[in-house]
Amino acid sequence: VEGKHMANFDDPLCSEDNVSMEVLLNASSHREENGAIVGVVGVGQDISDIFKLGVTCIVKKQTDHIEVKFDLVRAMLPHVPFDGWSLEALEQGAIDIGFEPKENIDTRKDIFRDLFKNGSIDFIDTFSEMIDLEVKNTYEVTDPKPERVPEKVKIIILMRLSLCQKYKEAVRSSLPITALPKNSKKSINLLYRTCNSIWRIIGDKSTDFSFYTKRVSLAAVYSSTLLFWLNDTSSDQEETSFFLDRRLNDISKIPNLKKPFNLMKKVSTN
């Protein structure tokens, strides 16, 4: 109606039978002989199948992208105790798994910088996400599962630490990096993601204020337990298990923080 031609305009529409579709529109002004605009002439093409294929390709590309990052970080972990969370450690891991063997070291490092734009903290972030997913997959096949929520929290935290056991020195060396002021936001986000993942694994679906109190209380428990675990030399994390029991017991004695655990008990028994 403003006299402009609209070409290849993608717009989601709904058919008469309430089926959603993606339509590619082309529209032009309809004019009288004197040039006055009296309407619009439009042509539309249903591109729903093409659109779905495009979305599928994007999702697959993102999934492949994540898997590459997981593979590289997993390969670099044995080198972290010697070279730190560095490009050098990542390069050594890449060599171990034969990543882009035809490319020279400078080209590979350019690829690494593209995958991990923030350097060391992104390596650590990817490692934490990788462990979160491994915990979820491991817990899903655990049988029998504990009934009470504190027991579920305990077994999942110990499961996570057990998966990290062979990377203990890498975890230890990650703490000074996560403590840097420039990495504070990223560090908080990855701690939140871990705590949120644990509650979701348990079955928490809360959306009220308890959503936050559960994660805050769990963050305190997990962080202190992680620090204790780093110095635990007992067999099978026995001392860490006792420490975690005490921390969970302490939380249950605080009225404001006890509610989330009590609420989850009711959920888990229904």
Side-chain angles (χ1 to χ4, degrees), residues 106-125:
D106 291 331
T107 302
R108 280 201 300 272
K109 285 189 175 181
D110 286 340
I111 296 173
F112 300 154
R113 291 188 183 97
D114 185 54
L115 289 170
F116 306 97
K117 292 180 172 58
N118 297 303
S120 297
I121 191 65
D122 278 0
F123 301 153
I124 296 166
D125 185 22

Side-chain angles (χ1 to χ4, degrees), residues 125-155:
D125 185 22
T126 300
F127 169 67
S128 181
E129 183 180 5
M130 181 180 75
I131 296 296
D132 287 340
L133 290 173
E134 288 184 13
V135 169
K136 180 178 182 293
N137 294 335
T138 303
Y139 186 79
E140 284 178 351
V141 298
T142 299
D143 189 38
K145 294 179 175 63
E147 295 293 330
R148 297 177 62 250
V149 171
E151 293 171 353
K152 291 180 180 180
V153 171
K154 177 183 177 180
I155 193 175

Side-chain angles (χ1 to χ4, degrees), residues 7-53:
N8 299 329
F9 182 75
D10 180 15
D11 194 31
L13 297 176
C14 193
S15 65
E16 292 182 355
D17 54 353
N18 205 33
V19 175
S20 61
M21 62 178 66
E22 291 288 329
V23 177
L24 187 66
L25 297 174
N26 287 271
S28 299
S29 303
H30 179 57
R31 301 173 184 268
E32 292 185 329
E33 291 183 3
N34 61 7
I37 297 174
V38 294
V40 176
V41 177
V43 177
Q45 178 185 1
D46 183 359
I47 59 168
S48 300
D49 291 340
I50 298 174
F51 180 80
K52 290 176 182 176
L53 179 61

Side-chain angles (χ1 to χ4, degrees), residues 222-253:
Y222 175 73
S223 298
S224 61
T225 304
L226 175 66
L227 293 174
F228 185 91
W229 168 78
L230 286 171
N231 296 302
D232 183 7
T233 57
S234 63
S235 60
D236 299 324
Q237 307 177 119
E238 186 177 1
E239 292 299 325
T240 298
S241 179
F242 293 150
F243 177 85
L244 181 54
D245 282 334
R246 294 194 295 272
R247 292 295 292 121
L248 292 173
N249 186 55
D250 291 342
I251 289 292
S252 69
K253 291 178 181 178

Side-chain angles (χ1 to χ4, degrees), residues 74-102:
R74 189 179 289 109
M76 81 179 287
L77 288 169
H79 302 280
V80 172
F82 309 101
D83 298 313
W85 292 91
S86 63
L87 281 174
E88 288 70 23
L90 193 65
E91 168 64 13
Q92 289 301 315
I95 293 172
D96 291 344
I97 61 174
F99 178 77
E100 298 291 350
K102 295 181 180 179

Side-chain angles (χ1 to χ4, degrees), residues 127-129 131-132 135 155-165 190 194 198 222 237:
F127 169 67
S128 181
E129 183 180 5
I131 296 296
D132 287 340
V135 169
I155 193 175
I156 292 173
I157 289 178
L158 291 179
M159 188 179 291
R160 194 176 202 282
L161 297 177
S162 178
L163 289 169
C164 291
Q165 183 66 35
L190 66 88
T194 292
I198 291 173
Y222 175 73
Q237 307 177 119

